[in-house]
Amino acid sequence: MNLSATPHPVLVQAWRGGIVESAHRGALAVVDADGHVHTAWGDIDRPIFPRSAVKVLQALPLVASGAAERLGLSDEELALACASHGGEPAHVAAAAAMLAKAGVDASVLECGAHWPYHEGSARDLARRGEAPSALHNNCSGKHAGFVCLGCALDGGGDRRAFLRGYVEPDHPVMREVSASLQDTTGWDLTRSARGTDGCSIPTHAIPLRHLALAFARVATEQGLAPCAAGAARRLREAVARAPHMVGGSGRFDTRVMQQFGARVFCKVGAEGVHCAALPTLGLGVAIKMDDGNNSRACEVALAAALQRLLQPSGADAELLDTLADLTLRNWNGRVVGRLAAPPGGRADP
Amino acid sequence: MNLSATPHPVLVQAWRGGIVESAHRGALAVVDADGHVHTAWGDIDRPIFPRSAVKVLQALPLVASGAAERLGLSDEELALACASHGGEPAHVAAAAAMLAKAGVDASVLECGAHWPYHEGSARDLARRGEAPSALHNNCSGKHAGFVCLGCALDGGGDRRAFLRGYVEPDHPVMREVSASLQDTTGWDLTRSARGTDGCSIPTHAIPLRHLALAFARVATEQGLAPCAAGAARRLREAVARAPHMVGGSGRFDTRVMQQFGARVFCKVGAEGVHCAALPTLGLGVAIKMDDGNNSRACEVALAAALQRLLQPSGADAELLDTLADLTLRNWNGRVVGRLAAPPGGRADP
């Protein structure tokens, strides 16, 4: 399989000095809950690794199993289960609180440790002479959610022993998580590749068409089993009330959901993936930038897609105008360029 | 001008779970000092911003003017003038020493401040409760070099007053620097776009063909005025003796030049640019990855090009094998993928 076989349209251009300095190709699918394709740019049938963009789909069993309610998880904690957070103090505290509710601590986490993505929080940690723990990992909330799901599956035995290896594909926790991915996307996960994600759980290659379908289902609750539909609503509501927990200070997903509330759920993933659920339109969106690399391009591409789909006005429009046509400044704060979608959202090869 | 008009070949692929997860397109030129093209992949005649990849060309007047010798600049300091450094203590100290030799201090620097790219150094700074200064800017050595060049141009007047605005295109210092770029590349800078770089100096759009020519000239000293030829040799020698100063701990350019010494000069630039001078072959190399974004792709593409061109053996081959086929590990240190050039170095659209 080679991405080069079908050059995708350019979805984002970086401008400097009046010329296009860099360009990002990618594919984009917009689909409704019946599977009807609203937009298909590029190859939306090639399986791609959705990475962290599908955390909300992976968190559905936490709620659908009843574990979230039994443990009394808050909006903030449920939002954190869907998050790639910045490791700010509020994120770390919420992850620790989830683990405490499950009767365990951070030593059960199998996501690995890294310095907080949020620069100020990383510097504060360094200033205190501390090192990061698994709680600072951007995936710690998702993993704490897996641990809480484990409480509904462990049969009342030795919880720590049961949880060991929960990141592995054949562990009961991960089997539930993968089943949720398969049910919501309608994609047989055995049909395509499986890789290992940054936090050691499996990532399954799924076509953009099916990812967008899953997000349309999350948006509308149609096409989901009743308990999954209720879980989707509960998670959407939690994230809309606590958008800071999904990303953090200054982060794209947080800024969008702080403005749009329940009207948009969106989530970035590594290697240039972005997915969104649009309840007011009944649509799901899935984007993969060919080059991956970092999130600058998929964020601009999603902002431009939201402009086209939502036709916003007032403060909604102002925010999307800013995010879809990013001003680039240098170390002196001087404007040196911009990052924006081509007119109409795409430029063909 | 639109990059999408001519899809470039894929030069680097990111693999995960047995499939290509992401792909990086780009263009590559290998040229000799007579301008004969050894390799042309993609459009090598479209002007691109070379950014920091041409710091050695911008440092030639510092030596050619006699300023470097009069001020007694060391190998380390000359290498730093060609650097995008990590802001490690040795880099900061050398930049400060250059300014002291010019009779000024860091307050004359117009590059702006940012936290050291080298993570450990950034954390040490935070741990001490300090904030970064312009000396930590990855370009501080280049700027200190501009300041030293100013010593040869200021006519003995008020040096601080003379230096003010040295980053502007019409300042005498920057006119010398731009003239060096034009002379070495053979490209009339007025023919294409001019942008502003991250450190506020101008960046001129120049075709890869001409960038590779300039590096072939630096490699061979052919096609340069005598004083520029001598300056090229002096800078190559300085960098070969002090490769740590050009990048820093663990950085691609430093690792390559620590191994290859005077046989390779290479330098990364922002937005996916990489240039190299290969004295033993008399060739110059210039690469621009379409997506820019960060340096992961251009580094792998250059390592693969060095493999093909140099046909290395022993420890040379081992290093390039590592850099041209990078193992990707996750937060747990688990191998999750690789980053490598397609067989033969390219995959066509």
Side-chain angles (χ1 to χ4, degrees):
Chain A
M1 186 173 306
N2 195 330
L3 281 173
S4 70
T6 53
H8 285 148
V10 170
L11 303 188
V12 176
Q13 295 167 322
W15 291 83
R16 181 182 300 257
I19 64 171
V20 174
E21 179 171 26
S22 300
H24 299 272
R25 295 174 187 278
L28 176 150
V30 183
V31 175
D32 72 18
D34 294 323
H36 294 130
V37 176
H38 175 284
T39 310
W41 288 354
D43 182 357
I44 67 168
D45 289 311
R46 188 177 66 84
I48 63 111
F49 288 124
R51 310 292 300 271
S52 289
V54 291
K55 279 176 176 172
V56 68
L57 308 180
Q58 294 167 317
L60 290 171
L62 168 64
V63 180
S65 67
E69 193 173 351
R70 271 203 301 286
L71 296 175
L73 297 190
S74 66
D75 286 336
E76 284 72 16
E77 290 160 354
L78 287 175
L80 197 75
C82 306
S84 296
H85 63 73
E88 299 178 58
H91 302 134
V92 173
M98 292 170 75
L99 295 170
K101 287 178 178 177
V104 293
D105 63 22
S107 64
V108 303
L109 292 178
E110 298 183 359
C111 51
H114 64 73
W115 286 86
Y117 287 168
H118 180 251
E119 291 197 5
S121 299
R123 273 180 213 121
D124 287 345
L125 206 62
R127 202 168 286 131
R128 295 195 302 270
E130 296 175 25
S133 75
L135 292 172
H136 297 94
N137 187 306
N138 75 93
C139 297
S140 70
K142 176 182 72 176
H143 280 249
F146 293 155
V147 167
C148 290
L149 169 60
C151 298
L153 303 174
D154 68 3
D158 179 341
R159 182 156 299 162
R160 295 185 69 93
F162 172 79
L163 287 170
R164 202 163 298 134
Y166 71 83
V167 296
E168 302 302 332
D170 292 331
H171 190 280
V173 165
M174 211 46 58
R175 282 208 301 265
E176 285 292 314
V177 169
S178 297
S180 174
L181 263 183
Q182 176 154 314
D183 291 346
T184 52
T185 61
W187 178 256
D188 178 357
L189 299 188
T190 63
R191 284 181 60 190
S192 53
R194 188 180 77 200
T196 303
D197 214 324
C199 65
S200 291
I201 71 163
T203 180
H204 297 273
I206 301 171
L208 290 176
R209 177 198 297 272
H210 286 264
L211 292 167
L213 170 65
F215 278 81
R217 288 171 165 176
V218 165
T220 60
E221 299 155 36
Q222 292 168 28
L224 299 174
C227 58
R233 184 169 59 252
R234 179 77 189 91
L235 289 173
R236 285 202 333 264
E237 290 169 354
V239 169
R241 285 195 283 259
H244 178 73
M245 302 308 283
V246 174
S249 304
R251 293 275 288 277
F252 179 94
D253 292 330
T254 293
R255 291 177 71 188
V256 168
M257 294 191 281
Q258 280 172 337
Q259 176 64 35
F260 283 86
R263 293 173 296 151
V264 175
F265 172 87
C266 59
K267 183 66 188 64
V268 74
E271 293 289 332
V273 182
H274 226 132
C275 292
L278 307 178
T280 56
L281 301 178
L283 296 173
V285 183
I287 297 171
K288 162 72 180 174
M289 304 309 298
D290 291 356
D291 57 89
N293 220 339
N294 73 25
S295 56
R296 77 173 190 182
C298 65
E299 290 178 352
V300 169
L302 179 59
L306 294 178
Q307 283 182 317
R308 289 190 302 277
L309 294 167
L310 295 170
Q311 301 283 322
S313 60
D316 292 349
E318 271 175 45
L319 177 66
L320 292 183
D321 286 352
T322 303
L323 297 175
D325 193 342
L326 270 186
T327 299
L328 301 177
R329 294 176 186 277
N330 75 2
W331 299 119
N332 284 316
R334 218 157 132 168
V335 174
V336 292
R338 46 190 281 267
L339 202 60
R346 61 183 280 179
D348 286 311
Chain B
M1 184 173 306
N2 195 330
L3 280 173
S4 70
T6 52
H8 285 148
V10 169
L11 302 187
V12 177
Q13 296 168 320
W15 291 83
R16 182 182 299 259
I19 64 171
V20 175
E21 179 171 27
S22 300
H24 298 273
R25 295 174 186 277
L28 176 151
V30 182
V31 176
D32 72 18
D34 293 323
H36 295 131
V37 176
H38 175 285
T39 310
W41 289 354
D43 182 357
I44 68 168
D45 289 311
R46 188 177 65 85
I48 63 111
F49 289 124
R51 310 291 300 272
S52 289
V54 290
K55 280 176 175 171
V56 68
L57 308 181
Q58 294 167 317
L60 291 171
L62 167 64
V63 181
S65 67
E69 193 175 352
R70 270 202 303 284
L71 296 174
L73 297 188
S74 66
D75 287 335
E76 285 73 16
E77 290 161 354
L78 287 175
L80 197 75
C82 307
S84 296
H85 64 72
E88 298 179 57
H91 302 134
V92 172
M98 292 170 76
L99 294 170
K101 288 178 178 178
V104 294
D105 63 22
S107 64
V108 303
L109 292 178
E110 298 184 358
C111 51
H114 65 71
W115 286 86
Y117 286 169
H118 180 251
E119 290 198 6
S121 299
R123 273 179 213 122
D124 287 345
L125 206 61
R127 202 169 285 131
R128 295 194 303 269
E130 295 174 25
S133 75
L135 292 172
H136 298 92
N137 187 308
N138 75 92
C139 297
S140 70
K142 176 181 71 174
H143 280 249
F146 293 156
V147 167
C148 291
L149 169 60
C151 298
L153 303 174
D154 68 3
D158 178 342
R159 182 157 296 163
R160 295 184 68 93
F162 172 79
L163 287 169
R164 202 162 298 134
Y166 71 82
V167 295
E168 302 302 332
D170 291 332
H171 190 281
V173 165
M174 211 44 60
R175 281 207 303 265
E176 285 292 315
V177 169
S178 297
S180 174
L181 264 182
Q182 177 155 314
D183 291 346
T184 52
T185 60
W187 178 255
D188 177 357
L189 299 187
T190 63
R191 283 181 61 191
S192 54
R194 187 179 79 201
T196 303
D197 215 322
C199 64
S200 291
I201 71 162
T203 180
H204 297 272
I206 300 171
L208 289 176
R209 177 198 297 271
H210 287 263
L211 292 167
L213 170 65
F215 278 81
R217 288 171 165 176
V218 165
T220 59
E221 300 155 36
Q222 293 169 26
L224 299 175
C227 56
R233 184 170 58 253
R234 178 77 188 91
L235 288 173
R236 284 201 334 262
E237 290 169 355
V239 168
R241 284 195 284 258
H244 178 73
M245 303 308 283
V246 174
S249 304
R251 294 273 289 275
F252 179 94
D253 291 329
T254 293
R255 291 177 71 187
V256 169
M257 294 190 283
Q258 280 173 337
Q259 176 63 36
F260 283 85
R263 293 174 295 150
V264 175
F265 171 87
C266 59
K267 181 67 187 66
V268 72
E271 293 288 333
V273 182
H274 227 132
C275 291
L278 306 179
T280 55
L281 302 178
L283 295 173
V285 183
I287 297 171
K288 160 74 181 173
M289 304 308 299
D290 291 356
D291 57 89
N293 219 338
N294 73 26
S295 55
R296 77 172 190 183
C298 65
E299 290 177 352
V300 170
L302 179 59
L306 294 178
Q307 282 182 318
R308 289 191 302 276
L309 294 166
L310 295 170
Q311 301 283 324
S313 60
D316 292 350
E318 271 175 45
L319 177 67
L320 291 183
D321 287 351
T322 303
L323 296 176
D325 193 343
L326 270 186
T327 299
L328 302 177
R329 293 177 186 275
N330 74 3
W331 299 119
N332 284 317
R334 217 156 132 168
V335 174
V336 292
R338 46 191 281 267
L339 202 60
R346 61 183 280 179
D348 285 311

